[in-house]
Amino acid sequence: MFPSRVEITEVGARDGLQALTPFVPTQQKIALIEAFAASGLRRIEASSFVSPRAVPQLADAAQVVAAARRLGPTISALVPNEKGAMRAVEAGADEMVTFISASQSHSRANLNRSIDDAIRAVEPVARIAERSAKRLRSAIAVAFGCPFEGDVPAAKVSEIAGALRSLGIREITLGDTTGMAAPRHVEAVCERLRSDWPDLVLTLHFHDTRGLGLVNVLTGLRLGIDRYEAATGGVGGCPFAPGATGNICTEDVVYMLSELGVQTGIDLEAAIASARGLEQILGRTLPGKLLRAGPRSQLHALDAVRHAVG
Ligand code: COA
Ligand code: ZN
């Protein structure tokens, strides 16, 4: 019924941190990525080569990526344009990720361009990726709804995916930037894309803004989709989308998958330890559930709790 193995891309160091102030010191970001790698995560989105004026938290992308690439996992980074791609190649990223919004309003807010102009800006990125033998994939933001415009037609998402495909891109991430997706909707968009472009490999990127994150993952699993993005501790959110909150939480997803008998190759205890480390770095409580409760295998001593004696 479900895929036997799922690949999780950890986006905590990118989506997770991008909207936060104050600046997280570069060494702490690198330590966080080291902890991700040690927990068994094989794909890590380490940063974004975007304008440091737009996203000051990720101004140290080059140092972070240069350190992360030595760790072993595939290190990806977001690139919005040619300049970003050149910076990513120079820093040694394994994989570049372009991102296009599925609504005009979010495209303007996020990239300061129309959708068509944003797609045109992928052309030089694709050339750089080819020349430097880097993998290139693309994310479609607000694919399940836009905080400015509301519903986004599946046909629009498919049209954008088709345009990216004609630039040679075969891996597409559908981003639920502000947690507007719900199961029926996930089915409709994924089925439309699969029917229009059967050779595209889909990854799902959900936010738990309205509490449907894991339900949406389950829906994806039922469709046979075996790639998901998640952020340790459930940290995250897009600074250019009002009301954006955390990504689905890596360790909670790993827990759900292990309870379903789906392999991830990620050590749950180590993933929870990474989340604790991130809470310490940020100095606040994160929304992840296992951070508080631990896995169900973690039992408590009866004499350690208060008893209600009538
Ligand atoms: N890396 C570093 N600097 C960049 C850059 C990049 N990838 N792209 C543009 N810049 C710089 C330019 O060099 C220029 O600098 P200058 O003023 O010192 O000459 C300045 O930014 C403006 O360049 P321009 O091409 O006009 O960009 P813009 O102002 O239209 O902004 C983006 C476009 C794409 C660069 C900006 O909107 C952006 O970085 N968006 C990222 C949003 C994001 O990360 N969202 C979250 C992920 S979903
Ligand atoms: Zn996101």
Side-chain angles (χ1 to χ4, degrees):
M1 183 177 169
F2 296 134
S4 59
R5 192 179 172 87
V6 152
E7 186 182 270
I8 294 179
T9 299
E10 169 63 45
V11 297
R14 194 279 299 171
D15 205 345
L17 300 185
Q18 67 188 4
L20 300 183
T21 48
F23 187 75
V24 174
T26 306
Q27 280 315 317
Q28 291 191 348
K29 289 174 181 145
I30 295 169
L32 189 62
I33 293 171
E34 283 168 356
F36 296 157
S39 73
L41 282 155
R42 302 306 301 155
R43 298 171 66 88
I44 298 174
E45 201 164 277
S47 195
S48 295
F49 291 94
V50 296
S51 156
R53 251 181 288 166
V55 185
Q57 181 60 259
L58 303 182
D60 58 357
Q63 295 99 294
V64 171
V65 165
R69 64 186 290 233
R70 291 194 280 269
L71 299 173
T74 299
I75 300 299
S76 58
L78 290 197
V79 300
N81 53 19
E82 185 172 12
K83 180 163 185 175
M86 288 184 327
R87 291 176 59 212
V89 169
E90 200 184 321
D94 299 311
E95 185 174 77
M96 298 192 271
V97 186
T98 66
F99 48 108
I100 303 294
S101 300
S103 75
Q104 292 295 357
S105 312
H106 188 260
S107 188
R108 291 269 174 217
N110 202 39
L111 289 166
N112 193 27
R113 300 192 178 94
S114 69
I115 298 174
D116 285 351
D117 286 347
I119 292 171
R120 267 191 284 281
V122 175
E123 278 181 44
V125 174
R127 277 198 299 274
I128 291 172
E130 197 173 353
R131 228 179 26 232
S132 55
K134 299 288 180 192
R135 287 172 61 162
L136 177 63
R137 54 189 181 84
S138 283
I140 303 179
V142 300
F144 300 99
C146 165
F148 308 108
E149 295 179 21
D151 291 345
V152 169
K156 184 67 197 173
V157 180
S158 178
E159 181 196 317
I160 294 169
L164 293 166
R165 185 178 169 281
S166 64
L167 295 172
I169 292 164
R170 291 290 177 274
E171 290 180 56
I172 299 284
T173 297
L174 299 177
D176 184 25
T177 310
T178 58
M180 291 174 75
R184 275 194 299 186
H185 193 185
V186 171
E187 270 166 27
V189 175
C190 293
E191 276 166 4
R192 172 71 192 246
L193 256 75
R194 280 176 154 180
S195 123
D196 288 355
W197 317 110
D199 60 345
L200 290 183
V201 177
L202 297 182
T203 298
L204 298 178
H205 171 117
F206 295 119
H207 283 255
D208 198 32
T209 319
R210 294 178 175 79
L212 296 187
L214 291 187
V215 180
N216 288 329
V217 173
L218 197 66
T219 306
L221 291 172
R222 288 216 166 95
L223 296 168
I225 294 175
D226 60 359
R227 295 176 182 219
Y228 297 85
E229 296 186 348
T232 289
V235 72
C238 173
F240 310 102
T245 59
N247 291 79
I248 52 166
C249 167
T250 305
E251 63 275 14
D252 292 358
V253 177
V254 169
Y255 175 67
M256 179 180 85
L257 292 171
S258 78
E259 292 296 312
L260 292 169
V262 178
Q263 308 275 324
T264 59
I266 298 161
D267 181 86
L268 183 59
E269 295 291 346
I272 295 172
S274 298
R276 283 210 190 94
L278 182 54
E279 279 193 327
Q280 262 161 19
I281 289 173
L282 301 179
R284 66 182 170 89
T285 302
L286 292 176
K289 297 278 195 292
L290 266 78
L291 261 168
R292 305 277 84 77
R296 67 195 282 276
S297 56
Q298 181 187 307
L299 304 180
H300 302 269
L302 186 56
D303 58 9
V305 297
R306 206 161 68 85
H307 292 265
V309 183

mmCIF file of all heavy atoms in Angstrom, residues 95-136:
data_model
loop_
_atom_site.group_PDB
_atom_site.id
_atom_site.type_symbol
_atom_site.label_atom_id
_atom_site.label_comp_id
_atom_site.label_asym_id
_atom_site.label_seq_id
_atom_site.Cartn_x
_atom_site.Cartn_y
_atom_site.Cartn_z
ATOM 1 N N GLU A 95 23.779 20.183 -5.567
ATOM 2 C CA GLU A 95 22.502 20.266 -6.280
ATOM 3 C C GLU A 95 21.936 21.678 -6.122
ATOM 4 O O GLU A 95 22.014 22.248 -5.031
ATOM 5 C CB GLU A 95 21.566 19.257 -5.631
ATOM 6 C CG GLU A 95 20.244 19.094 -6.276
ATOM 7 C CD GLU A 95 19.464 17.958 -5.610
ATOM 8 O OE1 GLU A 95 18.928 18.180 -4.512
ATOM 9 O OE2 GLU A 95 19.423 16.857 -6.179
ATOM 10 N N MET A 96 21.366 22.191 -7.200
ATOM 11 C CA MET A 96 20.733 23.514 -7.134
ATOM 12 C C MET A 96 19.223 23.357 -7.275
ATOM 13 O O MET A 96 18.755 22.474 -7.996
ATOM 14 C CB MET A 96 21.256 24.399 -8.253
ATOM 15 C CG MET A 96 22.753 24.640 -8.142
ATOM 16 S SD MET A 96 23.286 25.926 -9.244
ATOM 17 C CE MET A 96 23.628 24.982 -10.709
ATOM 18 N N VAL A 97 18.517 24.221 -6.578
ATOM 19 C CA VAL A 97 17.056 24.143 -6.592
ATOM 20 C C VAL A 97 16.507 25.513 -6.986
ATOM 21 O O VAL A 97 16.707 26.491 -6.255
ATOM 22 C CB VAL A 97 16.504 23.770 -5.197
ATOM 23 C CG1 VAL A 97 14.996 23.539 -5.268
ATOM 24 C CG2 VAL A 97 17.215 22.551 -4.631
ATOM 25 N N THR A 98 15.861 25.589 -8.150
ATOM 26 C CA THR A 98 15.214 26.852 -8.501
ATOM 27 C C THR A 98 13.796 26.815 -7.937
ATOM 28 O O THR A 98 13.266 25.745 -7.648
ATOM 29 C CB THR A 98 15.156 27.063 -10.026
ATOM 30 O OG1 THR A 98 14.306 26.068 -10.589
ATOM 31 C CG2 THR A 98 16.529 26.968 -10.647
ATOM 32 N N PHE A 99 13.199 27.980 -7.789
ATOM 33 C CA PHE A 99 11.846 27.985 -7.227
ATOM 34 C C PHE A 99 10.990 29.004 -7.956
ATOM 35 O O PHE A 99 11.382 30.137 -8.193
ATOM 36 C CB PHE A 99 11.861 28.208 -5.708
ATOM 37 C CG PHE A 99 12.716 29.355 -5.232
ATOM 38 C CD1 PHE A 99 12.134 30.518 -4.746
ATOM 39 C CD2 PHE A 99 14.107 29.271 -5.255
ATOM 40 C CE1 PHE A 99 12.914 31.570 -4.301
ATOM 41 C CE2 PHE A 99 14.897 30.324 -4.813
ATOM 42 C CZ PHE A 99 14.294 31.482 -4.337
ATOM 43 N N ILE A 100 9.817 28.532 -8.331
ATOM 44 C CA ILE A 100 8.850 29.330 -9.083
ATOM 45 C C ILE A 100 7.563 29.322 -8.275
ATOM 46 O O ILE A 100 7.170 28.283 -7.745
ATOM 47 C CB ILE A 100 8.565 28.651 -10.450
ATOM 48 C CG1 ILE A 100 9.857 28.457 -11.263
ATOM 49 C CG2 ILE A 100 7.521 29.427 -11.252
ATOM 50 C CD1 ILE A 100 10.518 29.723 -11.713
ATOM 51 N N SER A 101 6.901 30.479 -8.197
ATOM 52 C CA SER A 101 5.618 30.502 -7.481
ATOM 53 C C SER A 101 4.489 30.186 -8.457
ATOM 54 O O SER A 101 4.527 30.594 -9.622
ATOM 55 C CB SER A 101 5.368 31.888 -6.892
ATOM 56 O OG SER A 101 6.401 32.221 -6.003
ATOM 57 N N ALA A 102 3.464 29.513 -7.958
ATOM 58 C CA ALA A 102 2.325 29.163 -8.818
ATOM 59 C C ALA A 102 1.288 30.287 -8.888
ATOM 60 O O ALA A 102 0.307 30.167 -9.615
ATOM 61 C CB ALA A 102 1.677 27.876 -8.327
ATOM 62 N N SER A 103 1.481 31.363 -8.113
ATOM 63 C CA SER A 103 0.573 32.518 -8.241
ATOM 64 C C SER A 103 1.408 33.762 -8.547
ATOM 65 O O SER A 103 2.563 33.868 -8.110
ATOM 66 C CB SER A 103 -0.210 32.746 -6.939
ATOM 67 O OG SER A 103 0.641 33.340 -5.967
ATOM 68 N N GLN A 104 0.796 34.689 -9.279
ATOM 69 C CA GLN A 104 1.525 35.923 -9.635
ATOM 70 C C GLN A 104 1.877 36.712 -8.380
ATOM 71 O O GLN A 104 2.979 37.258 -8.263
ATOM 72 C CB GLN A 104 0.680 36.809 -10.568
ATOM 73 C CG GLN A 104 0.451 36.256 -11.953
ATOM 74 C CD GLN A 104 1.728 36.128 -12.803
ATOM 75 O OE1 GLN A 104 2.836 36.496 -12.403
ATOM 76 N NE2 GLN A 104 1.560 35.576 -13.997
ATOM 77 N N SER A 105 0.951 36.772 -7.418
ATOM 78 C CA SER A 105 1.198 37.616 -6.238
ATOM 79 C C SER A 105 2.380 37.092 -5.434
ATOM 80 O O SER A 105 3.233 37.877 -5.010
ATOM 81 C CB SER A 105 -0.029 37.648 -5.319
ATOM 82 O OG SER A 105 -1.173 37.912 -6.070
ATOM 83 N N HIS A 106 2.423 35.783 -5.227
ATOM 84 C CA HIS A 106 3.549 35.250 -4.453
ATOM 85 C C HIS A 106 4.847 35.376 -5.245
ATOM 86 O O HIS A 106 5.917 35.622 -4.675
ATOM 87 C CB HIS A 106 3.308 33.792 -4.023
ATOM 88 C CG HIS A 106 4.353 33.292 -3.065
ATOM 89 N ND1 HIS A 106 5.411 32.500 -3.455
ATOM 90 C CD2 HIS A 106 4.531 33.525 -1.734
ATOM 91 C CE1 HIS A 106 6.179 32.247 -2.391
ATOM 92 N NE2 HIS A 106 5.669 32.852 -1.345
ATOM 93 N N SER A 107 4.756 35.248 -6.568
ATOM 94 C CA SER A 107 5.947 35.401 -7.402
ATOM 95 C C SER A 107 6.539 36.805 -7.236
ATOM 96 O O SER A 107 7.748 36.982 -7.072
ATOM 97 C CB SER A 107 5.592 35.129 -8.865
ATOM 98 O OG SER A 107 6.754 35.097 -9.660
ATOM 99 N N ARG A 108 5.649 37.801 -7.242
ATOM 100 C CA ARG A 108 6.102 39.196 -7.045
ATOM 101 C C ARG A 108 6.717 39.375 -5.660
ATOM 102 O O ARG A 108 7.753 40.007 -5.497
ATOM 103 C CB ARG A 108 4.919 40.159 -7.182
ATOM 104 C CG ARG A 108 4.381 40.251 -8.577
ATOM 105 C CD ARG A 108 5.070 41.355 -9.358
ATOM 106 N NE ARG A 108 4.613 41.311 -10.747
ATOM 107 C CZ ARG A 108 5.407 41.568 -11.781
ATOM 108 N NH1 ARG A 108 6.660 41.904 -11.609
ATOM 109 N NH2 ARG A 108 4.938 41.508 -13.007
ATOM 110 N N ALA A 109 6.043 38.824 -4.640
ATOM 111 C CA ALA A 109 6.516 39.020 -3.265
ATOM 112 C C ALA A 109 7.828 38.282 -3.025
ATOM 113 O O ALA A 109 8.715 38.770 -2.332
ATOM 114 C CB ALA A 109 5.451 38.518 -2.277
ATOM 115 N N ASN A 110 7.966 37.124 -3.643
ATOM 116 C CA ASN A 110 9.105 36.249 -3.324
ATOM 117 C C ASN A 110 10.298 36.489 -4.242
ATOM 118 O O ASN A 110 11.439 36.395 -3.810
ATOM 119 C CB ASN A 110 8.645 34.791 -3.457
ATOM 120 C CG ASN A 110 9.512 33.830 -2.676
ATOM 121 O OD1 ASN A 110 9.953 34.129 -1.574
ATOM 122 N ND2 ASN A 110 9.762 32.670 -3.245
ATOM 123 N N LEU A 111 10.008 36.774 -5.507
ATOM 124 C CA LEU A 111 11.093 36.871 -6.495
ATOM 125 C C LEU A 111 11.123 38.215 -7.222
ATOM 126 O O LEU A 111 11.981 38.421 -8.076
ATOM 127 C CB LEU A 111 10.943 35.749 -7.537
ATOM 128 C CG LEU A 111 11.253 34.336 -7.048
ATOM 129 C CD1 LEU A 111 10.746 33.296 -8.040
ATOM 130 C CD2 LEU A 111 12.751 34.161 -6.828
ATOM 131 N N ASN A 112 10.162 39.086 -6.892
ATOM 132 C CA ASN A 112 10.090 40.394 -7.547
ATOM 133 C C ASN A 112 9.966 40.271 -9.066
ATOM 134 O O ASN A 112 10.516 41.073 -9.822
ATOM 135 C CB ASN A 112 11.328 41.231 -7.159
ATOM 136 C CG ASN A 112 11.190 42.688 -7.537
ATOM 137 O OD1 ASN A 112 10.073 43.205 -7.617
ATOM 138 N ND2 ASN A 112 12.301 43.370 -7.806
ATOM 139 N N ARG A 113 9.283 39.249 -9.517
ATOM 140 C CA ARG A 113 9.113 39.007 -10.955
ATOM 141 C C ARG A 113 7.779 38.318 -11.213
ATOM 142 O O ARG A 113 7.253 37.642 -10.325
ATOM 143 C CB ARG A 113 10.145 38.007 -11.476
ATOM 144 C CG ARG A 113 11.548 38.379 -11.320
ATOM 145 C CD ARG A 113 12.384 37.422 -12.160
ATOM 146 N NE ARG A 113 13.777 37.812 -12.046
ATOM 147 C CZ ARG A 113 14.619 37.288 -11.177
ATOM 148 N NH1 ARG A 113 14.226 36.332 -10.386
ATOM 149 N NH2 ARG A 113 15.858 37.702 -11.127
ATOM 150 N N SER A 114 7.318 38.399 -12.464
ATOM 151 C CA SER A 114 6.145 37.614 -12.867
ATOM 152 C C SER A 114 6.543 36.138 -12.952
ATOM 153 O O SER A 114 7.741 35.814 -13.003
ATOM 154 C CB SER A 114 5.651 38.089 -14.244
ATOM 155 O OG SER A 114 6.616 37.715 -15.215
ATOM 156 N N ILE A 115 5.545 35.263 -13.028
ATOM 157 C CA ILE A 115 5.844 33.830 -13.148
ATOM 158 C C ILE A 115 6.660 33.562 -14.424
ATOM 159 O O ILE A 115 7.663 32.849 -14.393
ATOM 160 C CB ILE A 115 4.536 33.000 -13.160
ATOM 161 C CG1 ILE A 115 3.763 33.189 -11.846
ATOM 162 C CG2 ILE A 115 4.824 31.522 -13.410
ATOM 163 C CD1 ILE A 115 2.386 32.520 -11.817
ATOM 164 N N ASP A 116 6.227 34.162 -15.534
ATOM 165 C CA ASP A 116 6.929 33.907 -16.795
ATOM 166 C C ASP A 116 8.379 34.365 -16.726
ATOM 167 O O ASP A 116 9.290 33.673 -17.203
ATOM 168 C CB ASP A 116 6.222 34.626 -17.961
ATOM 169 C CG ASP A 116 4.935 33.912 -18.354
ATOM 170 O OD1 ASP A 116 4.700 32.787 -17.852
ATOM 171 O OD2 ASP A 116 4.158 34.495 -19.141
ATOM 172 N N ASP A 117 8.596 35.550 -16.154
ATOM 173 C CA ASP A 117 9.985 36.037 -16.046
ATOM 174 C C ASP A 117 10.806 35.134 -15.129
ATOM 175 O O ASP A 117 12.001 34.908 -15.361
ATOM 176 C CB ASP A 117 10.017 37.482 -15.516
ATOM 177 C CG ASP A 117 9.576 38.474 -16.592
ATOM 178 O OD1 ASP A 117 9.503 38.067 -17.777
ATOM 179 O OD2 ASP A 117 9.297 39.648 -16.252
ATOM 180 N N ALA A 118 10.163 34.626 -14.081
ATOM 181 C CA ALA A 118 10.882 33.726 -13.162
ATOM 182 C C ALA A 118 11.271 32.436 -13.891
ATOM 183 O O ALA A 118 12.373 31.913 -13.699
ATOM 184 C CB ALA A 118 10.022 33.427 -11.939
ATOM 185 N N ILE A 119 10.373 31.941 -14.738
ATOM 186 C CA ILE A 119 10.709 30.718 -15.494
ATOM 187 C C ILE A 119 11.846 31.012 -16.480
ATOM 188 O O ILE A 119 12.783 30.215 -16.617
ATOM 189 C CB ILE A 119 9.456 30.160 -16.220
ATOM 190 C CG1 ILE A 119 8.454 29.636 -15.170
ATOM 191 C CG2 ILE A 119 9.841 29.042 -17.194
ATOM 192 C CD1 ILE A 119 7.091 29.259 -15.726
ATOM 193 N N ARG A 120 11.774 32.195 -17.119
ATOM 194 C CA ARG A 120 12.870 32.561 -18.036
ATOM 195 C C ARG A 120 14.214 32.607 -17.302
ATOM 196 O O ARG A 120 15.256 32.245 -17.860
ATOM 197 C CB ARG A 120 12.582 33.900 -18.700
ATOM 198 C CG ARG A 120 11.886 33.736 -20.046
ATOM 199 C CD ARG A 120 11.853 35.050 -20.813
ATOM 200 N NE ARG A 120 10.835 35.962 -20.271
ATOM 201 C CZ ARG A 120 9.533 35.855 -20.538
ATOM 202 N NH1 ARG A 120 9.086 34.903 -21.339
ATOM 203 N NH2 ARG A 120 8.677 36.708 -20.012
ATOM 204 N N ALA A 121 14.183 33.031 -16.035
ATOM 205 C CA ALA A 121 15.437 33.136 -15.267
ATOM 206 C C ALA A 121 16.023 31.757 -14.934
ATOM 207 O O ALA A 121 17.178 31.659 -14.524
ATOM 208 C CB ALA A 121 15.199 33.923 -13.979
ATOM 209 N N VAL A 122 15.224 30.689 -15.142
ATOM 210 C CA VAL A 122 15.752 29.336 -14.888
ATOM 211 C C VAL A 122 16.682 28.903 -16.037
ATOM 212 O O VAL A 122 17.595 28.097 -15.836
ATOM 213 C CB VAL A 122 14.599 28.319 -14.689
ATOM 214 C CG1 VAL A 122 15.120 26.896 -14.549
ATOM 215 C CG2 VAL A 122 13.760 28.695 -13.467
ATOM 216 N N GLU A 123 16.460 29.463 -17.246
ATOM 217 C CA GLU A 123 17.270 29.039 -18.410
ATOM 218 C C GLU A 123 18.777 29.141 -18.165
ATOM 219 O O GLU A 123 19.491 28.161 -18.324
ATOM 220 C CB GLU A 123 16.900 29.874 -19.637
ATOM 221 C CG GLU A 123 15.664 29.356 -20.342
ATOM 222 C CD GLU A 123 15.337 30.209 -21.569
ATOM 223 O OE1 GLU A 123 16.289 30.541 -22.323
ATOM 224 O OE2 GLU A 123 14.172 30.544 -21.724
ATOM 225 N N PRO A 124 19.270 30.337 -17.757
ATOM 226 C CA PRO A 124 20.727 30.404 -17.508
ATOM 227 C C PRO A 124 21.171 29.516 -16.350
ATOM 228 O O PRO A 124 22.294 29.001 -16.366
ATOM 229 C CB PRO A 124 20.974 31.891 -17.186
ATOM 230 C CG PRO A 124 19.641 32.484 -16.888
ATOM 231 C CD PRO A 124 18.633 31.650 -17.624
ATOM 232 N N VAL A 125 20.283 29.305 -15.375
ATOM 233 C CA VAL A 125 20.627 28.410 -14.258
ATOM 234 C C VAL A 125 20.815 26.991 -14.792
ATOM 235 O O VAL A 125 21.766 26.278 -14.431
ATOM 236 C CB VAL A 125 19.531 28.451 -13.161
ATOM 237 C CG1 VAL A 125 19.817 27.416 -12.075
ATOM 238 C CG2 VAL A 125 19.415 29.843 -12.554
ATOM 239 N N ALA A 126 19.908 26.581 -15.695
ATOM 240 C CA ALA A 126 20.008 25.229 -16.278
ATOM 241 C C ALA A 126 21.304 25.086 -17.072
ATOM 242 O O ALA A 126 21.958 24.033 -17.025
ATOM 243 C CB ALA A 126 18.792 24.958 -17.160
ATOM 244 N N ARG A 127 21.696 26.142 -17.767
ATOM 245 C CA ARG A 127 22.962 26.074 -18.535
ATOM 246 C C ARG A 127 24.151 25.912 -17.590
ATOM 247 O O ARG A 127 25.063 25.119 -17.829
ATOM 248 C CB ARG A 127 23.126 27.335 -19.396
ATOM 249 C CG ARG A 127 22.381 27.256 -20.721
ATOM 250 C CD ARG A 127 22.912 28.282 -21.714
ATOM 251 N NE ARG A 127 22.762 29.660 -21.231
ATOM 252 C CZ ARG A 127 21.656 30.398 -21.397
ATOM 253 N NH1 ARG A 127 20.611 29.893 -22.030
ATOM 254 N NH2 ARG A 127 21.593 31.631 -20.937
ATOM 255 N N ILE A 128 24.127 26.685 -16.498
ATOM 256 C CA ILE A 128 25.238 26.597 -15.526
ATOM 257 C C ILE A 128 25.278 25.206 -14.905
ATOM 258 O O ILE A 128 26.347 24.607 -14.736
ATOM 259 C CB ILE A 128 25.084 27.694 -14.436
ATOM 260 C CG1 ILE A 128 25.323 29.063 -15.061
ATOM 261 C CG2 ILE A 128 26.043 27.456 -13.269
ATOM 262 C CD1 ILE A 128 25.013 30.230 -14.140
ATOM 263 N N ALA A 129 24.090 24.657 -14.588
ATOM 264 C CA ALA A 129 24.044 23.323 -13.983
ATOM 265 C C ALA A 129 24.645 22.290 -14.938
ATOM 266 O O ALA A 129 25.428 21.422 -14.529
ATOM 267 C CB ALA A 129 22.603 22.955 -13.634
ATOM 268 N N GLU A 130 24.305 22.422 -16.223
ATOM 269 C CA GLU A 130 24.799 21.457 -17.200
ATOM 270 C C GLU A 130 26.319 21.558 -17.358
ATOM 271 O O GLU A 130 27.035 20.560 -17.311
ATOM 272 C CB GLU A 130 24.109 21.692 -18.541
ATOM 273 C CG GLU A 130 24.271 20.510 -19.446
ATOM 274 C CD GLU A 130 23.448 20.641 -20.716
ATOM 275 O OE1 GLU A 130 22.649 21.602 -20.839
ATOM 276 O OE2 GLU A 130 23.639 19.784 -21.584
ATOM 277 N N ARG A 131 26.775 22.814 -17.469
ATOM 278 C CA ARG A 131 28.212 23.057 -17.648
ATOM 279 C C ARG A 131 29.019 22.539 -16.464
ATOM 280 O O ARG A 131 30.111 22.027 -16.611
ATOM 281 C CB ARG A 131 28.409 24.573 -17.771
ATOM 282 C CG ARG A 131 29.278 24.955 -18.911
ATOM 283 C CD ARG A 131 29.492 26.431 -19.106
ATOM 284 N NE ARG A 131 29.374 27.319 -17.980
ATOM 285 C CZ ARG A 131 28.601 28.413 -17.976
ATOM 286 N NH1 ARG A 131 27.867 28.710 -19.025
ATOM 287 N NH2 ARG A 131 28.577 29.211 -16.931
ATOM 288 N N SER A 132 28.448 22.674 -15.262
ATOM 289 C CA SER A 132 29.231 22.318 -14.071
ATOM 290 C C SER A 132 28.841 20.938 -13.539
ATOM 291 O O SER A 132 29.272 20.559 -12.454
ATOM 292 C CB SER A 132 29.041 23.383 -13.001
ATOM 293 O OG SER A 132 27.668 23.552 -12.748
ATOM 294 N N ALA A 133 28.026 20.216 -14.311
ATOM 295 C CA ALA A 133 27.598 18.857 -13.938
ATOM 296 C C ALA A 133 26.953 18.811 -12.559
ATOM 297 O O ALA A 133 27.205 17.907 -11.767
ATOM 298 C CB ALA A 133 28.769 17.880 -14.023
ATOM 299 N N LYS A 134 26.135 19.824 -12.262
ATOM 300 C CA LYS A 134 25.385 19.831 -11.000
ATOM 301 C C LYS A 134 23.973 19.343 -11.274
ATOM 302 O O LYS A 134 23.403 19.622 -12.336
ATOM 303 C CB LYS A 134 25.282 21.262 -10.434
ATOM 304 C CG LYS A 134 26.607 21.895 -10.117
ATOM 305 C CD LYS A 134 27.242 21.281 -8.905
ATOM 306 C CE LYS A 134 28.577 21.922 -8.601
ATOM 307 N NZ LYS A 134 29.354 21.174 -7.598
ATOM 308 N N ARG A 135 23.411 18.663 -10.283
ATOM 309 C CA ARG A 135 22.004 18.295 -10.414
ATOM 310 C C ARG A 135 21.163 19.552 -10.254
ATOM 311 O O ARG A 135 21.513 20.457 -9.500
ATOM 312 C CB ARG A 135 21.629 17.300 -9.321
ATOM 313 C CG ARG A 135 22.206 15.931 -9.577
ATOM 314 C CD ARG A 135 21.995 15.032 -8.391
ATOM 315 N NE ARG A 135 20.574 14.857 -8.105
ATOM 316 C CZ ARG A 135 20.095 13.863 -7.352
ATOM 317 N NH1 ARG A 135 20.917 12.989 -6.827
ATOM 318 N NH2 ARG A 135 18.810 13.755 -7.128
ATOM 319 N N LEU A 136 20.051 19.577 -10.977
ATOM 320 C CA LEU A 136 19.161 20.735 -10.882
ATOM 321 C C LEU A 136 17.736 20.240 -10.704
ATOM 322 O O LEU A 136 17.280 19.352 -11.423
ATOM 323 C CB LEU A 136 19.251 21.570 -12.170
ATOM 324 C CG LEU A 136 18.325 22.785 -12.243
ATOM 325 C CD1 LEU A 136 18.656 23.805 -11.171
ATOM 326 C CD2 LEU A 136 18.429 23.438 -13.629
#
